[in-house]
Amino acid sequence: MSEPIWIPGRPAKKGSVRPILSKRGKVYLKPQDAKLVPWTGRCAALALAAGWKVTHGPVVLKLVAYYERPKGHYRGKARTLREDAPVRPTSQACGDIDKVSRAALDSLSRGIAYHDDSQVARLEATKRWKDEGARDEEGVELSVRPTEDARCECGAVYDDHTEGGADGILVCRLFVAKEET
């Protein structure tokens, strides 16, 4: 299991793309959110710096996105929370949780926390206000762990005993030990 990492800054959203036509007539797809590429790079770098290892079987990704409350949620100079202030961030300004999740999923694939985001068997995603989560800034907390039932063909838990073979294919150490004896 990986220790949770904190990605500071407003969470990026991976949503729609805009087609751009080049001078040579080739079409490129540009993300609508200009912050997506720097955010996903920062997410991958922080996971590597935290010592995250690649998980080879099915995983659970837990994501908690923290947002700043708008000033309109508070009353007066005392900054007391209004009774009618939303309990969770549901405005369009915060974005859809599935788009934030997609950005996080893609940033951790390609050998950061897993090989491909298709390995994510369960996604636990939550949006909160930063003041309810005891956070000083906007950001995302991420963690990845193998599912409880992630097993190798031999019946053992995946990451307890698998390693890369000569051609990069995962090899069960227990199976290799049987062949050598």
Side-chain angles (χ1 to χ4, degrees):
M1 180 169 154
S2 62
E3 288 296 318
I5 59 169
W6 174 252
I7 298 99
R10 190 166 189 91
K13 304 172 288 260
K14 183 171 184 176
S16 304
V17 291
R18 187 175 61 226
I20 305 290
L21 187 63
S22 73
K23 292 179 183 177
R24 295 183 181 177
K26 189 167 181 169
V27 177
Y28 295 96
L29 299 178
K30 182 178 180 184
Q32 291 280 11
D33 190 354
K35 299 173 186 168
L36 178 65
V37 173
W39 189 86
T40 54
R42 190 168 57 243
C43 182
L46 289 169
L48 288 172
W52 282 20
K53 302 285 186 228
V54 178
T55 303
H56 305 292
V59 297
V60 177
L61 175 77
K62 183 175 179 182
L63 174 148
V64 183
Y66 292 92
Y67 293 91
E68 177 87 40
R69 275 191 183 271
K71 291 179 183 177
H73 288 201
Y74 297 99
R75 177 176 292 126
K77 292 185 180 187
R79 296 208 25 106
T80 57
L81 194 61
R82 300 172 62 102
E83 294 84 24
D84 61 345
V87 177
R88 296 274 185 209
T90 56
S91 70
Q92 289 182 346
C94 294
D96 301 344
I97 193 67
D98 65 319
K99 291 181 179 181
V100 174
S101 299
R102 269 189 266 162
L105 286 164
D106 288 347
S107 69
L108 297 174
S109 64
R110 294 177 302 280
I112 305 295
Y114 37 80
H115 294 287
D116 187 71
D117 55 6
S118 64
Q119 287 177 249
V120 178
R122 188 167 77 223
L123 175 64
E124 300 170 1
T126 307
K127 292 193 306 187
R128 292 186 172 169
W129 298 115
K130 69 176 187 130
D131 56 3
E132 86 176 90
R135 290 288 182 179
D136 295 334
E137 61 183 335
E138 289 185 311
V140 174
E141 186 175 274
L142 287 173
S143 64
V144 175
R145 62 176 164 54
T147 59
E148 297 81 19
D149 57 353
R151 303 251 176 230
C152 177
E153 292 175 4
C154 74
V157 177
Y158 258 107
D159 288 324
D160 288 347
H161 74 283
T162 53
E163 59 186 22
D167 53 0
I169 296 174
L170 291 178
V171 178
C172 172
R173 288 186 201 152
L174 300 176
F175 182 73
V176 171
K178 282 183 198 174
E179 285 187 342
E180 291 174 354
T181 57

mmCIF file of all heavy atoms in Angstrom, residues 11-46:
data_model
loop_
_atom_site.group_PDB
_atom_site.id
_atom_site.type_symbol
_atom_site.label_atom_id
_atom_site.label_comp_id
_atom_site.label_asym_id
_atom_site.label_seq_id
_atom_site.Cartn_x
_atom_site.Cartn_y
_atom_site.Cartn_z
ATOM 1 N N PRO A 11 -7.426 21.233 -8.107
ATOM 2 C CA PRO A 11 -7.411 20.007 -8.905
ATOM 3 C C PRO A 11 -7.725 20.271 -10.371
ATOM 4 O O PRO A 11 -8.624 21.041 -10.697
ATOM 5 C CB PRO A 11 -8.512 19.160 -8.269
ATOM 6 C CG PRO A 11 -8.679 19.703 -6.895
ATOM 7 C CD PRO A 11 -8.363 21.153 -6.983
ATOM 8 N N ALA A 12 -6.956 19.650 -11.253
ATOM 9 C CA ALA A 12 -7.189 19.774 -12.689
ATOM 10 C C ALA A 12 -8.282 18.803 -13.098
ATOM 11 O O ALA A 12 -8.517 17.787 -12.448
ATOM 12 C CB ALA A 12 -5.911 19.491 -13.461
ATOM 13 N N LYS A 13 -8.942 19.114 -14.215
ATOM 14 C CA LYS A 13 -10.012 18.280 -14.727
ATOM 15 C C LYS A 13 -9.632 17.781 -16.115
ATOM 16 O O LYS A 13 -9.151 18.555 -16.941
ATOM 17 C CB LYS A 13 -11.312 19.078 -14.809
ATOM 18 C CG LYS A 13 -11.736 19.700 -13.499
ATOM 19 C CD LYS A 13 -12.911 20.626 -13.662
ATOM 20 C CE LYS A 13 -12.586 21.906 -14.347
ATOM 21 N NZ LYS A 13 -12.373 23.085 -13.594
ATOM 22 N N LYS A 14 -9.826 16.491 -16.345
ATOM 23 C CA LYS A 14 -9.601 15.952 -17.685
ATOM 24 C C LYS A 14 -10.961 15.730 -18.305
ATOM 25 O O LYS A 14 -11.651 14.768 -18.021
ATOM 26 C CB LYS A 14 -8.828 14.644 -17.661
ATOM 27 C CG LYS A 14 -8.544 14.144 -19.064
ATOM 28 C CD LYS A 14 -7.617 12.989 -19.091
ATOM 29 C CE LYS A 14 -7.313 12.631 -20.536
ATOM 30 N NZ LYS A 14 -6.354 11.574 -20.614
ATOM 31 N N GLY A 15 -11.343 16.649 -19.130
ATOM 32 C CA GLY A 15 -12.669 16.572 -19.729
ATOM 33 C C GLY A 15 -12.587 16.594 -21.231
ATOM 34 O O GLY A 15 -11.877 15.807 -21.847
ATOM 35 N N SER A 16 -13.264 17.535 -21.785
ATOM 36 C CA SER A 16 -13.350 17.646 -23.228
ATOM 37 C C SER A 16 -12.031 18.112 -23.831
ATOM 38 O O SER A 16 -11.212 18.742 -23.169
ATOM 39 C CB SER A 16 -14.440 18.647 -23.602
ATOM 40 O OG SER A 16 -15.658 18.266 -23.035
ATOM 41 N N VAL A 17 -11.848 17.790 -25.083
ATOM 42 C CA VAL A 17 -10.696 18.263 -25.839
ATOM 43 C C VAL A 17 -11.202 19.094 -27.009
ATOM 44 O O VAL A 17 -12.318 18.902 -27.480
ATOM 45 C CB VAL A 17 -9.811 17.095 -26.347
ATOM 46 C CG1 VAL A 17 -9.117 16.405 -25.199
ATOM 47 C CG2 VAL A 17 -10.603 16.117 -27.151
ATOM 48 N N ARG A 18 -10.369 20.024 -27.439
ATOM 49 C CA ARG A 18 -10.724 20.894 -28.545
ATOM 50 C C ARG A 18 -9.836 20.560 -29.735
ATOM 51 O O ARG A 18 -8.606 20.542 -29.610
ATOM 52 C CB ARG A 18 -10.523 22.350 -28.112
ATOM 53 C CG ARG A 18 -11.021 23.349 -29.114
ATOM 54 C CD ARG A 18 -10.914 24.771 -28.602
ATOM 55 N NE ARG A 18 -9.516 25.106 -28.333
ATOM 56 C CZ ARG A 18 -9.094 25.711 -27.229
ATOM 57 N NH1 ARG A 18 -9.935 26.034 -26.297
ATOM 58 N NH2 ARG A 18 -7.830 25.997 -27.059
ATOM 59 N N PRO A 19 -10.424 20.272 -30.895
ATOM 60 C CA PRO A 19 -9.589 19.986 -32.068
ATOM 61 C C PRO A 19 -8.935 21.263 -32.588
ATOM 62 O O PRO A 19 -9.575 22.298 -32.710
ATOM 63 C CB PRO A 19 -10.571 19.411 -33.084
ATOM 64 C CG PRO A 19 -11.904 19.886 -32.660
ATOM 65 C CD PRO A 19 -11.844 20.149 -31.185
ATOM 66 N N ILE A 20 -7.644 21.191 -32.867
ATOM 67 C CA ILE A 20 -6.886 22.312 -33.408
ATOM 68 C C ILE A 20 -6.337 21.873 -34.766
ATOM 69 O O ILE A 20 -5.703 20.813 -34.871
ATOM 70 C CB ILE A 20 -5.712 22.694 -32.479
ATOM 71 C CG1 ILE A 20 -6.199 22.973 -31.066
ATOM 72 C CG2 ILE A 20 -4.907 23.845 -33.042
ATOM 73 C CD1 ILE A 20 -7.004 24.226 -30.905
ATOM 74 N N LEU A 21 -6.541 22.679 -35.784
ATOM 75 C CA LEU A 21 -6.051 22.372 -37.124
ATOM 76 C C LEU A 21 -4.715 23.080 -37.348
ATOM 77 O O LEU A 21 -4.612 24.296 -37.189
ATOM 78 C CB LEU A 21 -7.078 22.830 -38.167
ATOM 79 C CG LEU A 21 -6.815 22.451 -39.608
ATOM 80 C CD1 LEU A 21 -6.834 20.931 -39.769
ATOM 81 C CD2 LEU A 21 -7.844 23.093 -40.518
ATOM 82 N N SER A 22 -3.683 22.293 -37.685
ATOM 83 C CA SER A 22 -2.359 22.879 -37.919
ATOM 84 C C SER A 22 -2.302 23.485 -39.320
ATOM 85 O O SER A 22 -3.193 23.284 -40.146
ATOM 86 C CB SER A 22 -1.272 21.812 -37.769
ATOM 87 O OG SER A 22 -1.291 20.933 -38.871
ATOM 88 N N LYS A 23 -1.224 24.220 -39.594
ATOM 89 C CA LYS A 23 -1.043 24.833 -40.912
ATOM 90 C C LYS A 23 -0.918 23.785 -42.009
ATOM 91 O O LYS A 23 -1.234 24.041 -43.159
ATOM 92 C CB LYS A 23 0.194 25.732 -40.900
ATOM 93 C CG LYS A 23 0.023 26.957 -40.041
ATOM 94 C CD LYS A 23 1.278 27.801 -40.030
ATOM 95 C CE LYS A 23 1.119 28.984 -39.099
ATOM 96 N NZ LYS A 23 2.335 29.774 -39.012
ATOM 97 N N ARG A 24 -0.438 22.601 -41.635
ATOM 98 C CA ARG A 24 -0.274 21.514 -42.613
ATOM 99 C C ARG A 24 -1.532 20.650 -42.754
ATOM 100 O O ARG A 24 -1.511 19.641 -43.439
ATOM 101 C CB ARG A 24 0.899 20.640 -42.211
ATOM 102 C CG ARG A 24 2.213 21.382 -42.263
ATOM 103 C CD ARG A 24 3.344 20.470 -41.944
ATOM 104 N NE ARG A 24 4.592 21.212 -41.973
ATOM 105 C CZ ARG A 24 5.752 20.731 -41.685
ATOM 106 N NH1 ARG A 24 5.851 19.463 -41.314
ATOM 107 N NH2 ARG A 24 6.834 21.463 -41.727
ATOM 108 N N GLY A 25 -2.581 21.028 -42.055
ATOM 109 C CA GLY A 25 -3.844 20.310 -42.186
ATOM 110 C C GLY A 25 -4.021 19.143 -41.229
ATOM 111 O O GLY A 25 -4.989 18.401 -41.343
ATOM 112 N N LYS A 26 -3.118 18.979 -40.288
ATOM 113 C CA LYS A 26 -3.237 17.895 -39.321
ATOM 114 C C LYS A 26 -4.051 18.380 -38.118
ATOM 115 O O LYS A 26 -3.930 19.515 -37.690
ATOM 116 C CB LYS A 26 -1.850 17.437 -38.867
ATOM 117 C CG LYS A 26 -1.872 16.190 -38.047
ATOM 118 C CD LYS A 26 -0.496 15.605 -37.878
ATOM 119 C CE LYS A 26 -0.621 14.337 -37.067
ATOM 120 N NZ LYS A 26 0.572 13.554 -37.055
ATOM 121 N N VAL A 27 -4.888 17.491 -37.568
ATOM 122 C CA VAL A 27 -5.730 17.836 -36.433
ATOM 123 C C VAL A 27 -5.082 17.338 -35.142
ATOM 124 O O VAL A 27 -4.691 16.180 -35.039
ATOM 125 C CB VAL A 27 -7.142 17.216 -36.590
ATOM 126 C CG1 VAL A 27 -7.998 17.513 -35.365
ATOM 127 C CG2 VAL A 27 -7.819 17.734 -37.848
ATOM 128 N N TYR A 28 -4.966 18.240 -34.171
ATOM 129 C CA TYR A 28 -4.446 17.909 -32.844
ATOM 130 C C TYR A 28 -5.574 18.112 -31.835
ATOM 131 O O TYR A 28 -6.414 18.989 -32.011
ATOM 132 C CB TYR A 28 -3.261 18.818 -32.469
ATOM 133 C CG TYR A 28 -2.065 18.630 -33.344
ATOM 134 C CD1 TYR A 28 -1.838 19.454 -34.440
ATOM 135 C CD2 TYR A 28 -1.151 17.625 -33.069
ATOM 136 C CE1 TYR A 28 -0.724 19.277 -35.239
ATOM 137 C CE2 TYR A 28 -0.040 17.441 -33.867
ATOM 138 C CZ TYR A 28 0.170 18.270 -34.957
ATOM 139 O OH TYR A 28 1.261 18.087 -35.751
ATOM 140 N N LEU A 29 -5.558 17.311 -30.787
ATOM 141 C CA LEU A 29 -6.557 17.459 -29.732
ATOM 142 C C LEU A 29 -5.912 18.143 -28.536
ATOM 143 O O LEU A 29 -4.943 17.645 -27.976
ATOM 144 C CB LEU A 29 -7.116 16.094 -29.340
ATOM 145 C CG LEU A 29 -7.827 15.347 -30.470
ATOM 146 C CD1 LEU A 29 -8.293 13.989 -29.982
ATOM 147 C CD2 LEU A 29 -8.999 16.150 -31.007
ATOM 148 N N LYS A 30 -6.446 19.287 -28.152
ATOM 149 C CA LYS A 30 -5.895 20.077 -27.047
ATOM 150 C C LYS A 30 -6.874 20.022 -25.874
ATOM 151 O O LYS A 30 -8.064 20.267 -26.056
ATOM 152 C CB LYS A 30 -5.700 21.517 -27.504
ATOM 153 C CG LYS A 30 -5.095 22.406 -26.460
ATOM 154 C CD LYS A 30 -4.891 23.805 -26.989
ATOM 155 C CE LYS A 30 -4.274 24.660 -25.900
ATOM 156 N NZ LYS A 30 -4.129 26.040 -26.321
ATOM 157 N N PRO A 31 -6.374 19.704 -24.658
ATOM 158 C CA PRO A 31 -7.273 19.673 -23.497
ATOM 159 C C PRO A 31 -7.882 21.047 -23.230
ATOM 160 O O PRO A 31 -7.229 22.073 -23.412
ATOM 161 C CB PRO A 31 -6.367 19.268 -22.330
ATOM 162 C CG PRO A 31 -5.120 18.755 -22.937
ATOM 163 C CD PRO A 31 -5.006 19.350 -24.304
ATOM 164 N N GLN A 32 -9.158 21.062 -22.791
ATOM 165 C CA GLN A 32 -9.822 22.329 -22.474
ATOM 166 C C GLN A 32 -9.180 22.996 -21.255
ATOM 167 O O GLN A 32 -9.093 24.201 -21.194
ATOM 168 C CB GLN A 32 -11.310 22.079 -22.190
ATOM 169 C CG GLN A 32 -12.098 21.666 -23.401
ATOM 170 C CD GLN A 32 -12.493 22.836 -24.292
ATOM 171 O OE1 GLN A 32 -12.034 23.968 -24.137
ATOM 172 N NE2 GLN A 32 -13.326 22.549 -25.262
ATOM 173 N N ASP A 33 -8.744 22.197 -20.283
ATOM 174 C CA ASP A 33 -8.134 22.735 -19.065
ATOM 175 C C ASP A 33 -6.631 22.888 -19.285
ATOM 176 O O ASP A 33 -5.906 21.901 -19.368
ATOM 177 C CB ASP A 33 -8.417 21.807 -17.885
ATOM 178 C CG ASP A 33 -8.027 22.407 -16.542
ATOM 179 O OD1 ASP A 33 -7.425 23.504 -16.524
ATOM 180 O OD2 ASP A 33 -8.328 21.780 -15.514
ATOM 181 N N ALA A 34 -6.159 24.119 -19.366
ATOM 182 C CA ALA A 34 -4.743 24.387 -19.606
ATOM 183 C C ALA A 34 -3.860 23.929 -18.450
ATOM 184 O O ALA A 34 -2.664 23.721 -18.613
ATOM 185 C CB ALA A 34 -4.530 25.879 -19.857
ATOM 186 N N LYS A 35 -4.451 23.732 -17.277
ATOM 187 C CA LYS A 35 -3.685 23.316 -16.100
ATOM 188 C C LYS A 35 -3.493 21.806 -16.036
ATOM 189 O O LYS A 35 -2.806 21.316 -15.135
ATOM 190 C CB LYS A 35 -4.398 23.794 -14.831
ATOM 191 C CG LYS A 35 -4.530 25.297 -14.765
ATOM 192 C CD LYS A 35 -5.379 25.711 -13.602
ATOM 193 C CE LYS A 35 -5.611 27.218 -13.650
ATOM 194 N NZ LYS A 35 -6.627 27.646 -12.731
ATOM 195 N N LEU A 36 -4.095 21.056 -16.954
ATOM 196 C CA LEU A 36 -4.065 19.595 -16.888
ATOM 197 C C LEU A 36 -2.654 19.030 -16.994
ATOM 198 O O LEU A 36 -2.245 18.223 -16.159
ATOM 199 C CB LEU A 36 -4.948 18.994 -17.987
ATOM 200 C CG LEU A 36 -4.966 17.477 -18.059
ATOM 201 C CD1 LEU A 36 -5.590 16.897 -16.799
ATOM 202 C CD2 LEU A 36 -5.701 17.010 -19.284
ATOM 203 N N VAL A 37 -1.883 19.427 -17.980
ATOM 204 C CA VAL A 37 -0.555 18.853 -18.198
ATOM 205 C C VAL A 37 0.390 19.143 -17.028
ATOM 206 O O VAL A 37 1.017 18.217 -16.505
ATOM 207 C CB VAL A 37 0.035 19.320 -19.550
ATOM 208 C CG1 VAL A 37 1.467 18.862 -19.711
ATOM 209 C CG2 VAL A 37 -0.820 18.789 -20.699
ATOM 210 N N PRO A 38 0.489 20.398 -16.546
ATOM 211 C CA PRO A 38 1.365 20.629 -15.388
ATOM 212 C C PRO A 38 0.888 19.881 -14.137
ATOM 213 O O PRO A 38 1.701 19.370 -13.367
ATOM 214 C CB PRO A 38 1.305 22.141 -15.164
ATOM 215 C CG PRO A 38 0.712 22.722 -16.374
ATOM 216 C CD PRO A 38 -0.046 21.656 -17.073
ATOM 217 N N TRP A 39 -0.439 19.791 -13.935
ATOM 218 C CA TRP A 39 -0.962 19.125 -12.742
ATOM 219 C C TRP A 39 -0.661 17.631 -12.778
ATOM 220 O O TRP A 39 -0.233 17.062 -11.778
ATOM 221 C CB TRP A 39 -2.472 19.371 -12.620
ATOM 222 C CG TRP A 39 -3.041 18.902 -11.324
ATOM 223 C CD1 TRP A 39 -3.089 19.599 -10.152
ATOM 224 C CD2 TRP A 39 -3.603 17.619 -11.045
ATOM 225 N NE1 TRP A 39 -3.667 18.830 -9.168
ATOM 226 C CE2 TRP A 39 -3.990 17.614 -9.689
ATOM 227 C CE3 TRP A 39 -3.835 16.478 -11.804
ATOM 228 C CZ2 TRP A 39 -4.590 16.523 -9.081
ATOM 229 C CZ3 TRP A 39 -4.424 15.387 -11.197
ATOM 230 C CH2 TRP A 39 -4.800 15.414 -9.857
ATOM 231 N N THR A 40 -0.869 16.984 -13.913
ATOM 232 C CA THR A 40 -0.609 15.544 -13.997
ATOM 233 C C THR A 40 0.887 15.260 -13.849
ATOM 234 O O THR A 40 1.270 14.262 -13.243
ATOM 235 C CB THR A 40 -1.134 14.933 -15.306
ATOM 236 O OG1 THR A 40 -0.600 15.645 -16.412
ATOM 237 C CG2 THR A 40 -2.644 14.962 -15.352
ATOM 238 N N GLY A 41 1.725 16.136 -14.378
ATOM 239 C CA GLY A 41 3.174 15.975 -14.205
ATOM 240 C C GLY A 41 3.586 16.097 -12.758
ATOM 241 O O GLY A 41 4.408 15.325 -12.252
ATOM 242 N N ARG A 42 2.992 17.070 -12.055
ATOM 243 C CA ARG A 42 3.287 17.254 -10.627
ATOM 244 C C ARG A 42 2.807 16.052 -9.820
ATOM 245 O O ARG A 42 3.493 15.573 -8.916
ATOM 246 C CB ARG A 42 2.624 18.549 -10.139
ATOM 247 C CG ARG A 42 3.040 18.961 -8.762
ATOM 248 C CD ARG A 42 2.610 20.377 -8.386
ATOM 249 N NE ARG A 42 1.188 20.595 -8.485
ATOM 250 C CZ ARG A 42 0.608 21.468 -9.315
ATOM 251 N NH1 ARG A 42 1.355 22.196 -10.126
ATOM 252 N NH2 ARG A 42 -0.703 21.619 -9.332
ATOM 253 N N CYS A 43 1.648 15.522 -10.181
ATOM 254 C CA CYS A 43 1.086 14.353 -9.502
ATOM 255 C C CYS A 43 2.018 13.145 -9.647
ATOM 256 O O CYS A 43 2.339 12.466 -8.673
ATOM 257 C CB CYS A 43 -0.285 14.051 -10.104
ATOM 258 S SG CYS A 43 -1.145 12.702 -9.356
ATOM 259 N N ALA A 44 2.484 12.881 -10.869
ATOM 260 C CA ALA A 44 3.398 11.754 -11.116
ATOM 261 C C ALA A 44 4.723 11.956 -10.390
ATOM 262 O O ALA A 44 5.251 11.018 -9.775
ATOM 263 C CB ALA A 44 3.631 11.606 -12.621
ATOM 264 N N ALA A 45 5.264 13.171 -10.424
ATOM 265 C CA ALA A 45 6.542 13.448 -9.760
ATOM 266 C C ALA A 45 6.440 13.258 -8.246
ATOM 267 O O ALA A 45 7.346 12.690 -7.626
ATOM 268 C CB ALA A 45 7.000 14.873 -10.086
ATOM 269 N N LEU A 46 5.344 13.688 -7.649
ATOM 270 C CA LEU A 46 5.171 13.533 -6.202
ATOM 271 C C LEU A 46 4.996 12.068 -5.807
ATOM 272 O O LEU A 46 5.486 11.638 -4.768
ATOM 273 C CB LEU A 46 3.987 14.364 -5.715
ATOM 274 C CG LEU A 46 4.213 15.880 -5.732
ATOM 275 C CD1 LEU A 46 2.908 16.626 -5.498
ATOM 276 C CD2 LEU A 46 5.243 16.276 -4.691
#
